[in-house]
Amino acid sequence: MLPVLIREGTSGIVEVKGFGAPQTWHPDNDLDKALDLLFTLYEARTPDGVRFQDNYHHEGFNWLSTQVGNLYWRWLFRIVQYGALLEDLAGRGRVPYFLNRLNFARVWEVLHPRRPGPWAGLEAWRLYRRALPAHNRQVAARPGGDLLFYRYGPRDFRTREMLDVFEAEGAPFHFVYSPSRPLFARRHAQGRPVYFLHRRWAAPRIFCNSYDLSGFPGGLRPAVAAIIRRAEEHMSFAVWEYHQHLEALRPRPPRLLFGLEDHQEIYPLLYACRTLGVPTVGYQFSMYARRQAAYTLERWAPGSYDGFDNVITWGPYWEQVLRRWSQVYPEGYHLPGANKLSYGYRRLESERFSTRNILIPYEFWGNTRRIGQCMQKLMDRGWTVYFKFKPDEEPDRQLDCYELPGAYRERVVEVRDITDELMAEINVVAGGMTTLLYDLLPYGKHTWVFETEFRLLDDMVQDGLAEKIRCEDLDTLPDPGPADRQVDRAWLFNPAPLPEVLRTHVLARL
């Protein structure tokens, strides 16, 4: 077996270097294929005839709830993305050496699990099985933690405005963070006490099942078996972590757990709070759409999902989308909220406005190569492309994903922040997956969804909020007139100010 070097870009494009000429692999981002695999997995049965979807009830919770996001996004979608590359490596007898460990490296490790070295395991045991539980017990016993506030780390831009509200209101809260090693080392320098989730380790297997996988193509069955094994390992660890949180929080339970509606790591703490009688409230994290399988939970029976007690949504539209595809959420589950980020939404005028000014945000999933080709076609026709960077990733790496030749890349107008003044220059907003396209609808611009195999925004097109555009048609597409669309902003984003929403649904419970 000969080694090859693998480097993955932030949107999933993979460079392979080894024997022979370097290769660039572009992932197959077909979400429908991943969704079909997930639905097939739901129906797989044990030798006793128990469905996969019904087989993970334990201690009063359905632990499969904790893994839909992993199954769909982290594993089955990655198998779709990189199936051809996996077959090529196996067929040529190549073993990858990863220069960075992103999505392809992670799914490779699921299919080819490796054990950490003894010293790495010893250090992790010291940090995460001794120091972290002791730290959590100390934090849980401290006063001032009536509210546990879950965020994606100290620099989480999504919850920045929420943090400002809680601090202005003098709320008694502790942070809840995932324990990266650097963050855990700086745990006493975060401004407030931090209660940590646990770092995953090889906990004793509680779930260990075999399934008839004849519903899958023969070549996929070993991969699906490996994915099931990994999901059962994660669920077994989640049960262990649940008991750790019970032990830490039982002497002095908080009064409320609140945070983003995460679909991966929050569940053990959430279940511990529910067992202790602590209410839990989530805040809508991302768009709801059919192909957001961890939120829509299509084909789940009513009452079969264990999540937050309630979730605050951005506006009535989002609950309508969920109920279009899902039966799982009871009436009253969703609470009226507001967008978690604030925009001015003033419709200004600008001398720099042109009907050929288009704003394209960076997207970390999807066919960025294809969208880059659309950008080139537009620039060839005299359009000006404004490129909005994501604040938590390196700008150059974001642009790299679009594979723009140097002459085109130099013409891109770089955008860091969305302002009313910027939006006065723009006539069209376009992309393929980002929630920002929804966020910017109240500005009244033309909204385009570029047609690719990554169909996350099909609901947006279906609901008349955007127009689907084929790259092939850009050569002859008539220029759009000046945009002045009228969008029911309150339908998408409740007009209530975020402080009012948090006072009503969060702070009033303390």
Side-chain angles (χ1 to χ4, degrees):
M1 302 291 280
L2 299 174
V4 292
L5 301 179
I6 300 282
R7 183 183 298 278
E8 182 180 344
T10 55
S11 69
I13 298 171
V14 173
E15 296 178 2
V16 181
K17 296 181 180 180
F19 297 90
Q23 294 178 290
T24 299
W25 286 82
H26 295 90
D28 177 0
N29 297 294
D30 193 328
L31 288 177
D32 287 347
K33 290 179 183 177
L35 201 59
D36 287 343
L37 291 176
L38 181 65
F39 293 158
T40 302
L41 180 57
Y42 284 166
E43 298 301 322
R45 295 180 182 268
T46 67
D48 296 332
V50 180
R51 290 195 316 156
F52 176 87
Q53 194 175 21
D54 302 327
N55 205 22
Y56 296 100
H57 294 267
H58 180 74
E59 296 190 27
F61 297 102
N62 182 358
W63 295 89
L64 186 60
S65 306
T66 72
Q67 294 303 306
V68 179
N70 284 330
L71 287 167
Y72 179 63
W73 285 115
R74 290 194 172 186
W75 302 325
L76 294 174
F77 178 51
R78 304 306 175 195
I79 292 296
V80 172
Q81 282 188 302
Y82 300 115
L85 177 54
L86 290 167
E87 290 180 7
D88 181 78
L89 292 173
R92 295 193 297 144
R94 300 290 192 259
V95 176
Y97 176 81
F98 295 100
L99 299 176
N100 58 350
R101 305 194 68 82
L102 299 178
N103 297 312
F104 180 59
R106 290 167 185 158
V107 76
W108 178 271
E109 194 278 327
V110 171
L111 304 181
H112 304 86
R114 57 187 178 86
R115 291 184 175 274
W119 296 113
L122 181 62
E123 176 65 8
W125 181 87
R126 183 189 69 80
L127 283 176
Y128 300 122
R129 298 205 38 210
R130 288 182 63 87
L132 189 151
H135 168 82
N136 276 358
R137 289 192 294 270
Q138 292 172 359
V139 169
R142 294 179 62 175
D146 289 350
L147 171 64
L148 289 182
F149 179 25
Y150 169 63
R151 308 177 69 211
Y152 287 156
R155 300 175 62 187
D156 180 16
F157 66 91
R158 308 164 190 85
T159 56
R160 182 179 59 246
E161 293 183 30
M162 299 178 193
L163 174 60
D164 292 342
V165 172
F166 292 151
E167 290 182 334
E169 295 285 335
F173 67 91
H174 294 163
F175 291 124
V176 175
Y177 291 149
S178 183
S180 69
R181 188 167 298 198
L183 179 55
F184 188 66
R186 302 191 309 272
R187 58 191 179 276
H188 299 300
Q190 301 306 315
R192 286 181 178 267
V194 179
Y195 185 91
F196 283 101
L197 306 177
H198 283 259
R199 190 70 171 265
R200 191 173 295 110
W201 64 283
R205 289 278 295 275
I206 295 172
F207 306 106
C208 189
N209 297 283
S210 61
Y211 293 91
D212 176 4
L213 300 180
S214 58
F216 294 93
L220 272 183
R221 291 172 197 168
V224 174
I227 288 170
I228 292 172
R229 182 172 60 249
R230 181 56 57 90
E232 291 186 336
E233 290 171 354
H234 281 210
M235 285 185 278
S236 298
F237 169 81
V239 175
W240 176 88
E241 182 180 357
Y242 159 72
H243 285 282
Q244 294 295 308
H245 292 310
L246 279 178
E247 179 183 343
L249 296 176
R250 182 174 278 121
R252 188 189 178 103
R255 299 183 65 181
L256 180 70
L257 169 65
F258 167 76
L260 292 175
E261 186 191 15
D262 176 71
H263 59 64
Q264 292 179 351
E265 64 181 10
I266 192 63
Y267 290 95
L269 176 58
L270 189 156
Y271 292 173
C273 286
R274 287 179 59 180
T275 298
L276 296 172
V278 177
T280 61
V281 177
Y283 208 105
Q284 182 180 348
F285 165 64
S286 182
M287 75 180 81
Y288 295 149
R290 188 201 176 198
R291 293 164 183 83
Q292 281 274 39
Y295 294 125
T296 54
L297 297 164
E298 190 175 353
R299 303 194 184 182
W300 282 56
S304 59
Y305 170 70
D306 286 314
F308 285 94
D309 295 330
N310 294 103
V311 170
I312 301 168
T313 57
W314 303 334
Y317 168 74
W318 305 101
E319 183 175 357
Q320 292 176 22
V321 172
L322 281 180
R323 296 195 182 282
R324 178 188 302 157
W325 302 111
S326 175
Q327 308 175 53
V328 77
Y329 298 105
E331 291 296 328
Y333 180 84
H334 295 101
L335 305 175
N339 198 338
K340 63 184 185 297
L341 300 175
S342 297
Y343 298 92
Y345 292 135
R346 293 180 300 156
R347 297 193 179 189
L348 306 179
E349 295 183 359
S350 172
E351 294 180 353
R352 291 189 289 272
F353 171 82
S354 168
T355 57
R356 291 190 172 191
N357 286 353
I358 184 169
L359 175 69
I360 298 178
Y362 164 70
E363 297 173 326
F364 56 90
W365 280 339
N367 194 335
T368 52
R369 179 197 189 195
R370 186 62 169 164
I371 294 177
Q373 293 169 349
C374 295
M375 293 163 69
Q376 293 179 56
K377 281 179 174 285
L378 289 166
M379 284 188 271
D380 285 342
R381 291 191 56 194
W383 284 64
T384 299
V385 173
Y386 293 66
F387 186 85
K388 168 65 173 67
F389 291 111
K390 195 165 177 277
D392 55 353
E393 292 188 27
E394 181 65 33
D396 283 344
R397 292 183 64 192
Q398 296 180 47
L399 268 174
D400 288 345
C401 299
Y402 293 80
E403 299 187 352
L404 297 174
Y408 290 92
R409 186 161 174 159
E410 291 173 1
R411 293 167 58 187
V412 167
V413 178
E414 299 182 355
V415 175
R416 260 66 178 185
D417 299 302
I418 298 295
T419 65
D420 295 341
E421 291 74 17
L422 169 77
M423 293 306 297
E425 302 177 29
I426 302 300
N427 194 43
V428 179
V429 178
M433 63 77 64
T434 178
T435 304
L436 188 60
L437 268 65
Y438 284 101
D439 289 342
L440 300 184
L441 283 171
Y443 281 107
K445 307 300 179 180
H446 298 292
T447 302
W448 293 354
V449 173
F450 291 124
E451 183 176 78
T452 72
E453 76 280 13
F454 191 86
R455 297 172 56 197
L456 187 61
L457 295 181
D458 271 22
D459 291 80
M460 191 181 201
V461 176
Q462 176 181 336
D463 293 329
L465 298 172
E467 180 182 0
K468 184 165 283 191
I469 300 294
R470 298 194 327 147
C471 194
E472 296 83 356
D473 295 337
L474 289 176
D475 291 326
T476 57
L477 191 71
D479 286 357
D484 189 24
R485 298 184 63 205
Q486 300 305 312
V487 177
D488 186 352
R489 176 181 166 187
W491 181 49
L492 291 165
F493 307 111
N494 282 322
L498 182 63
E500 179 183 320
V501 171
L502 295 178
R503 283 194 291 267
T504 300
H505 297 310
V506 179
L507 299 178
R509 302 187 184 214
L510 300 180

